[in-house]
């Protein structure tokens, strides 16, 4: 269009208003982030039911708590449900963990799992009884 009206953006066309780094207050990592594996489960604590938190938390924090109240959620599921980057979700979960509103159940690393041969020996020993 010659008058330049095609270059104007309206609210719906502008996309998301809040950038991810604004949600995390410019932080790109959290102190406990290295422990937040993609399959780590996030569970809401009983303290999260206090109505005071609803007024003080950001919408993203409240959304995470709402999802985790229904059932435990993995970090990857939360990122998908919130449509946010994993790094942003890890920072938000870290904030909630610091406030003791959620706890994170981490998967056992494969190196710490017992060897299969030991498990077979235990089973054989139990069958011999």
């Amino acid at each position: 269009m010659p008058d330049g009206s095609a270059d104007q953006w309206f609210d719906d066309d502008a996309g998301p208003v809040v950038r991810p780094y604004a949600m995390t207050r410019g932080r790109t990592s959290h102190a406990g982030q290295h422990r937040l594996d993609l399959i780590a489960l996030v569970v809401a604590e009983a303290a999260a039911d206090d109505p005071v938190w609803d007024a003080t938390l950001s919408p993203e924090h409240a959304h995470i708590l709402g999802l985790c109240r229904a059932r435990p959620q993995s970090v990857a599921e939360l990122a998908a449900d919130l449509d946010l980057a994993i790094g942003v979700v890890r920072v938000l979960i870290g904030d909630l963990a610091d406030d003791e509103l959620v706890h994170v159940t981490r998967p056992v690393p494969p190196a710490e799992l017992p060897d299969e041969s030991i498990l077979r020996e235990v089973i054989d020993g139990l069958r011999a009884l």
Side-chain angles (χ1 to χ4, degrees), residues 114-129:
D115 186 22
E116 185 177 337
S117 63
I118 294 173
L119 293 175
R120 289 190 188 280
E121 290 178 24
V122 170
I123 291 171
D124 290 341
L126 290 172
R127 285 184 183 150
L129 293 176

Side-chain angles (χ1 to χ4, degrees), residues 35-98:
R35 298 178 294 172
L36 291 178
D37 193 357
L38 290 177
I39 59 172
L41 291 179
V42 182
V43 181
E45 293 284 355
D49 293 332
D50 189 347
V52 170
W53 291 110
D54 292 335
T56 59
L57 292 175
S58 72
E60 293 78 21
H61 286 106
H63 194 179
I64 290 172
L65 276 180
L67 291 170
C68 294
R69 281 183 189 124
R71 69 178 178 85
Q73 300 277 326
S74 72
V75 174
E77 288 174 316
L78 289 170
D81 286 343
L82 293 168
D83 195 25
L84 292 173
I86 287 288
V88 171
V89 173
R90 284 179 172 155
V91 172
L92 296 174
I93 291 170
D95 293 342
L96 292 171
D98 285 349

Side-chain angles (χ1 to χ4, degrees), residues 8-43:
Q8 291 180 337
W9 281 13
F10 296 99
D11 288 341
D12 293 338
D13 298 329
V17 177
V18 178
R19 298 286 182 217
Y21 60 83
M23 290 178 211
T24 62
R25 289 176 250 132
R27 298 170 294 149
T28 57
S29 65
H30 190 270
Q33 180 174 337
H34 66 280
R35 298 178 294 172
L36 291 178
D37 193 357
L38 290 177
I39 59 172
L41 291 179
V42 182
V43 181

